[in-house]
Amino acid sequence: MTSSTRERIVAESLRLFADRGYAATSVAEIEAAAGLSPGAGGLYRHFRSKEEVLASAIREHIDRTRRQVVDVLEQAAVYEDRPLEVRLRMTCQAGLAKMREEQDLIRVLFRDLDQFPNLVAEMREGIVNPLYDGIATWLEAQPEFEGSGEDWPAIASILGGAVVNYWLANESMYEPPTRIDEKRFVASWARLGLGLVGLEKS
């Protein structure tokens, strides 16, 4: 399916913001990357400003994240027959995949969004918190944990935070912490998940 001009502007602007920074990216550069005549005002036929383009990119990612969380929770029941440790590994792998999917947005967040506190709040409430809430909801829904009375939001903050930290360290330092590869990280993350609820193997 051919993307619309508006979609191309949003996608290319986010890529440029991630690579160069928001302030260093001109409207003309966005227009050229989106296949428009640079400097001819094509961007302004779809957006009022460069900031509105950034806000639209964030809101599109928010909408997609909400749909993904709902889809993952709906599909979770399909895998209930697999061992809990396998399900935990799958959840960790999904978290790392989500971080990779959002890498441009994350780069913009750390580089530029301090000048847009309202957009930071939108990302926090629209992407970050729903992901942690999704982990907590998923954990609580696992049959092995029924009636355990665990503080699932707190546990989700620990497990989710580990995924975020692993990906950020790998991204910013060009290798994972102490060179622990992703397979080892995922396996240990799952074991930690089991241990937090007292289900570690003897």
Side-chain angles (χ1 to χ4, degrees):
M1 180 184 296
T2 303
S3 61
S4 69
T5 300
R6 183 183 177 91
E7 290 171 335
R8 291 199 308 275
I9 290 171
V10 169
E12 292 301 327
S13 68
L14 189 59
R15 180 183 63 79
L16 290 169
F17 295 157
D19 288 344
R20 303 180 185 183
Y22 175 85
T25 301
S26 69
V27 168
E29 288 172 324
I30 295 171
E31 289 172 335
L36 304 173
S37 298
L43 180 144
Y44 295 108
R45 286 193 281 275
H46 301 274
F47 301 94
R48 290 173 294 181
S49 65
K50 189 169 71 168
E51 181 178 344
E52 187 176 285
V53 178
L54 176 58
S56 293
I58 289 171
R59 287 163 192 158
E60 287 185 13
H61 281 254
I62 286 172
D63 289 342
R64 183 172 67 195
T65 296
R66 286 175 176 161
R67 292 194 300 270
Q68 288 172 332
V69 169
V70 170
D71 289 345
V72 167
L73 292 176
E74 287 179 349
Q75 294 169 8
V78 175
Y79 303 107
E80 282 187 0
D81 60 334
R82 300 188 183 186
L84 177 59
E85 188 166 358
V86 171
R87 280 177 272 142
L88 283 164
R89 289 187 190 209
M90 292 170 64
T91 301
C92 182
Q93 289 164 340
L96 290 169
K98 179 62 177 173
M99 293 295 292
R100 282 190 287 268
E101 179 184 306
E102 301 292 354
Q103 63 183 356
D104 283 348
L105 190 57
I106 293 167
R107 287 179 183 141
V108 175
L109 168 65
F110 283 98
R111 175 182 286 170
D112 295 302
L113 284 195
D114 58 339
Q115 60 188 301
F116 304 115
N118 58 316
L119 295 181
V120 173
E122 286 195 48
M123 278 194 64
R124 182 181 63 246
E125 300 305 321
I127 296 179
V128 178
N129 286 347
L131 287 173
Y132 281 100
D133 291 343
I135 295 171
T137 300
W138 180 86
L139 287 166
E140 188 172 11
Q142 301 314 294
E144 294 88 345
F145 300 154
E146 186 176 357
S148 67
E150 294 289 348
D151 185 349
W152 295 116
I155 291 174
S157 74
I158 295 168
L159 294 177
V163 171
V164 171
N165 178 71
Y166 179 82
W167 185 87
L168 287 177
N170 201 9
E171 179 74 6
S172 60
M173 300 178 191
Y174 308 109
E175 66 177 37
T178 61
R179 298 186 177 88
I180 301 299
D181 64 33
E182 188 169 313
K183 182 177 180 180
R184 288 176 64 193
F185 174 78
V186 169
S188 295
W189 189 94
R191 295 285 290 125
L192 179 62
L194 292 173
L196 281 169
V197 292
L199 294 177
E200 68 268 34
K201 295 175 182 176
S202 57

